[in-house]
Amino acid sequence: MSCNHCTGLSRSRLLHRAAAEAGRGLPVIEPGMPLPAGTGLSRRSFVTQSVGAMLAVYGASRLGVGAFEEGIASAATGPAQPILVSIFLEGGADALSVLSPQGDPLYRKLRPKLGLSSGAVFAEDDRLHWHPATAGLTQLYGEQKVTVMPAIGYTNADQSHFTSRHYWEVGATSTDLRTGWLGRYLDVVGTPDNPLQGLSLDDTLAPALATAKMPVASIDGPDQYDFWSNRVWGEVETRMLDAIGTLGVGNGDPAFSTAAGVTAQVDRLRTQLVPFQGSDGNPAFASPVAYPKSDDSFPRRLAGLAAMLAAGLPLRVVSLSAPGHYDTHSDQAGDLAQGLQLTSDSLLAFQRDLEARGLADRVLVHVWSEFGRRAQENGDAGTDHGAAGVGFLIGTRAKGKMIGEFPGLKTGLDDDGNVSATSDFRGVYAGLLEQWLGIDAGRVIPGAASFQRPALVK
Amino acid sequence: LSHVAAYRGSFGAAEAERLLWRAGFGPRKGEAEALAALGLDGAVHALTNPGRELLVGAAPKDEKGRPLAPYDAWGHDHVWWLDRMVRTSRPLVERMTLVWHDWFATSNGGVGSQRLMLNQNQLFRQRGLGPFHTLLLDITRDPAMLLWLNGSDNSRWSPNENYAREMMELFTLGAGRGYTETDVREQARALTGFRNDWKDDVGPVDFRYDPHQHDPGTKTIFKRRGAFTWKDSVRLAVSHPSHPSFFVRKLWSYFVAGSPDPATQRGLEHLYVSSGHDVRPVLAAILKHPALYEGGRVTKSPAVYTAGLLRRLGRGIDTTAWTWLDGMAGQQLFYPPNVAGWDDSRWLDTATWRGRWWIAQYVLRPYALDPAKDAQPYDANVLVENALAFWHRPPLAQSTHTALVGFAQNALADARSASWKRKQYAVMAQNALRHLIAVSPDLQTA
C-alpha cells in the first residue's frame, strides 16, 4: 500500500477537522482568520483509505522522516499478522453452569438450587449442556468455530482471585513475573514505535499485555480518544497537541520516567486514532452487522476493534474484559445469565462482523477466567472459589475440537471439592504462540517444553 | 526506642511539599513554607496529631449551586469526599481514610448503598490512626463490608468463605503467607453469626450478630483448636507471625517508592508490635524516613491529583463532574476495581492519562482567558513564567521547561503573519501552557 491518496492531508487539516467535528462547533471566525482546512470532509473516506499510511505522514510532520513514520507505515503495510483477542471473564466464571453436567448423576446433589435443566446438548460430550444464555456461542460451535476447554487450569490451583489471575496473566505459576505473556510475545516480535501492537480496549491496561520494552496502549474505544483545551483552537491547538509528545522526556526517576513514557505513547496513539474520532457520541465508522444494544461498552468496543482491523491498523494482540459479574458467591443464577448473554451475543456479532469484512481468518478470540467455582453450591444460592474453569477459542481458524475433557463429578474433583484440570493453560498459550502467532513458545512461556500442546488451529 | 532511621537533611519548602503530597493532597498556597518552618519532627507531629478538623473554604455544591446529596445522588459520594480532601485541616487523616479504603477495598458496586459506604468511610476517618486490631474488628462487622464479602450470608448452616479468605489474603497476612485452604474454611466457620434483614424500598437493614447463626463447634485455625468466634478470628489473624511484616510492607507502600530496606522493615515491625499494633507510631516513622525525602517520586492517584490541583488553586467543589472524570482516570471513590483495591503501580496508561487531561481541563475552565478580550505578552519566556506563576511555581524538570518554551515559541511563530493572531495566539498559548503544566510528568508525580 502506498499513501499517494493521503499525502495531501496535512496534520493540521486533520486536527482542524477533528476540532470542527468534536461536537463543539467551530471557533469564532475573526476577519482574516482562515476557515480551518478540511472542514466538512467526510470522515468515513479516511477510514476506507489506508489509515496506517496516512498516519505515517501525519506523525512524520513533527518527528521528521524518523522511526515513527517507518514503524507505523511498515507495520500497517507489511504482511497481515495474525491477531489474538483475549477476553477475560473476571471473578472466576462457573464452568459447571456455562457447560452444566446435567448428565452427571451427582450434579443435582451438588447443585440442588443452582442446577440447570435446559440448554442445548454439547455435541462432544452429551453429559454437558450449554447455558441457555450462551446461544450465540452455541451457534458458532455448531459452525465448527469454537474450541471448548471444559476443565482448564493447572495443578494445585490457587483459589485467590489475584494470585490465580496473575498466573494466567503472566503465563506461569509464578508470583515474581512482572510482564504479561502477551507482553513478552510483543517484546519478541513488536517494534518500538507502534503502541497499537498491544491494545487494551479497557479503562486501564490489561496486565497480560505488560511488556518489558515495547510500547502498548490502552483506550476506552477507538472513537473516544480526543483532547482539547479551554479557549485554545486552530494553529495553537495543533501546536499544543503536538507539545504533549515533547513532555514525554524521562529522567533517572522511575515514576517520573513512567509518566513521561506514557505521555509519549499518548502522543503516538492520538495521531493514530484521529480518523476514528466521531461526533456527538457517534463513532466515525459504520459496522456491517448489528451489535447488542447495551449500557456496557463491550459491544461498542468490539465494533470499534473490527473497524480498526478493517482500516489496517497494525494490531497484534488485543485485550478486553467481558461484561458481567462472575464472582458469584450469592444469587448466582441471574447475574451469571446476564453477563453470559451479553458476552456471548457480542462475540457472535463480532464474529459476523469479521466475516462480513473478510477478516475472519486473521482473528482468533481466546476467552478465559482465573478459575472455575466449587462443585458444591453454598447456602446463598452461590458458589465459592474453585479450581479448573472453562475457556474457549473462537474463530474460523479455531480447530473446533475439545481440549481436555470434562472429568466428571465423581472422580474428577480434588480434595477441596473443586473440578480438577484436564488441560493446562500454559499448554494452550504455548500452542497459540506456535500455531497461531508463529514463534517458539520457549521465548515467552517459562518451561514451555514441559507442556503438551493441543492442536488449536485448522 | 525504634531502630528506624530518620531523615537528617535540610527540611525546606521542597521537602515539606513532598511530605504534604505523601501525607495529604499537596500544599495550598504558602502551606509548604509554613510546614517547613516547624522542622521535620514538628511537621510530622502536626500531621499525626492534628486536633479538631476545620474545613477551609466554601461548602461544596453541585453545578447548579445546590448542596450535595451524598447519601442519595449518584456521584455525590465521590465529590463529598473530594471536598474533604480539598478543604480539610487534617490532610493525613483524610489520606489515611483513602489508604484504608484501598486496604479494605469495598465497592458500592456490590454494596448498593451510599449511606453504608459513607458510614464505612467515617469509620476509617475516626479510627484510621489508632490500633489496627480495633480497626479490623470494626471493619469485620461493618455493614458495607458484611454485604460486600458476604459476611452476613455466612451462617452455621451455609458457610460462605469470602470474607475469611480476603481477611487473611488481603487485609492481614498476604497470599500464601502461613495459612492453608483448611484455615480459610475454619475461619469462615468462626466468622459465622452476622446477619441482616431486607426491607423493600429501604434495602438491607438491622445488621446484627445473632448467636443462633454462629457455628459453636470446635475449629482448627493455624493449628490451634477452640470454639472460636469472629473476635477470635480477628485476634488470630492479627497475632499471626506473618501479620507484622505484611502490615509494615503494605503501609510503607502507600507512602514511599520501592520497598523498605531489611533494617527498616525489622525496625518498623518492632515498632508496630511493641506499640500493641498501633498505626500512628509506624506512620510517623515512615513519614520521617530518609527514603521518603531522598528516594524516588510516587505517581499521584487520580483523586489525589484532582484534590491537589483544586487545593493549589484554592477552588472548592462546585461541580460533580469530578466523579466521572476521576473514574476516567481510573479512580472513582467507593468503587475500587475489586477487593484488592487499586493497583498503585499502574495508575498511568494511555487511557487513564487522557482522563487526567480532562481533569486538568475542567480544573482550568473558570480560569480560561478570553482571546478576544484578555491580553498576554508576545514573548515565549514570559508566557511560560506567567503560567508557572499561575500554578504557584511548582518545581519542573529542565526537559519540561524546555518543552513548554518550545511550544510557546512555535505558537507565537505561527502568529507572525497577522496582528490579530499575535494578540490572540499569546492568550491561547497561555491557556494551553497552564494545561500542559498540569499534565506534565512533574505534576503527575510527587
Side-chain angles (χ1 to χ4, degrees), chain A residues 230-255:
Chain A
N230 308 293
R231 294 178 185 257
V232 180
W233 53 70
E235 289 175 305
V236 185
E237 183 180 48
T238 306
R239 294 291 190 182
M240 175 185 74
L241 295 173
D242 284 350
I244 291 173
T246 66
L247 291 172
V249 180
N251 57 17
D253 184 277

Side-chain angles (χ1 to χ4, degrees), chain B residues 280-360:
Chain B
R280 194 185 318 261
V282 184
L283 193 53
I286 291 172
L287 295 179
K288 291 181 193 176
H289 197 276
L292 193 149
Y293 302 94
E294 293 161 356
R297 299 173 73 86
V298 170
T299 305
K300 299 171 190 172
S301 85
V304 172
Y305 176 73
T306 306
L309 292 178
L310 293 172
R311 278 175 78 92
R312 200 153 200 128
L313 295 179
R315 179 177 169 193
I317 299 296
D318 51 17
T319 169
T320 61
W322 311 119
T323 306
W324 63 265
L325 287 165
D326 281 334
M328 230 177 130
Q331 191 178 38
Q332 184 179 348
L333 299 169
F334 304 105
Y335 292 84
N338 54 52
V339 63
W342 287 280
D343 185 345
D344 277 313
S345 67
R346 294 184 192 276
W347 282 123
L348 284 172
D349 58 46
T350 51
T352 55
W353 194 97
R354 177 167 170 268
R356 293 183 187 230
W357 171 277
W358 289 111
I359 289 168

Side-chain angles (χ1 to χ4, degrees), chain A residues 107-249:
Chain A
Y107 178 63
R108 301 268 156 224
K109 283 184 194 144
L110 292 166
R111 296 289 178 95
K113 279 192 204 152
L114 292 178
L116 293 160
S117 51
S118 60
V121 174
F122 174 59
E124 290 172 272
D125 182 341
D126 62 11
R127 290 174 297 174
L128 303 178
H129 290 245
W130 291 93
H131 194 289
T134 62
L137 269 184
T138 313
Q139 190 182 336
L140 290 174
Y141 177 75
E143 300 169 13
Q144 274 94 51
K145 292 171 187 162
V146 179
T147 300
V148 176
M149 296 163 265
I152 186 158
Y154 51 98
T155 50
N156 298 321
D158 196 295
Q159 291 175 54
S160 152
H161 286 297
F162 309 100
T163 305
S164 194
R165 173 181 172 169
H166 180 81
Y167 291 169
W168 280 79
E169 286 166 345
V170 303
T173 53
S174 156
T175 52
D176 299 328
L177 279 171
R178 289 287 171 266
T179 52
W181 76 283
L182 295 171
R184 288 197 302 280
Y185 160 69
L186 292 174
D187 278 334
V188 175
V189 304
T191 54
D193 44 20
N194 173 25
L196 280 180
Q197 60 202 337
L199 183 65
S200 189
L201 284 170
D202 218 330
D203 301 335
T204 55
L205 188 70
L209 289 176
T211 51
K213 297 183 299 221
M214 299 303 173
V216 291
S218 168
I219 53 170
D220 181 48
D223 54 328
Q224 317 231 327
Y225 209 65
D226 59 330
F227 294 85
W228 46 278
S229 193
N230 308 293
R231 294 178 185 257
V232 180
W233 53 70
E235 289 175 305
V236 185
E237 183 180 48
T238 306
R239 294 291 190 182
M240 175 185 74
L241 295 173
D242 284 350
I244 291 173
T246 66
L247 291 172
V249 180

Side-chain angles (χ1 to χ4, degrees), chain A residues 254-265:
Chain A
F256 187 99
S257 299
T258 298
V262 171
T263 308
Q265 287 174 24

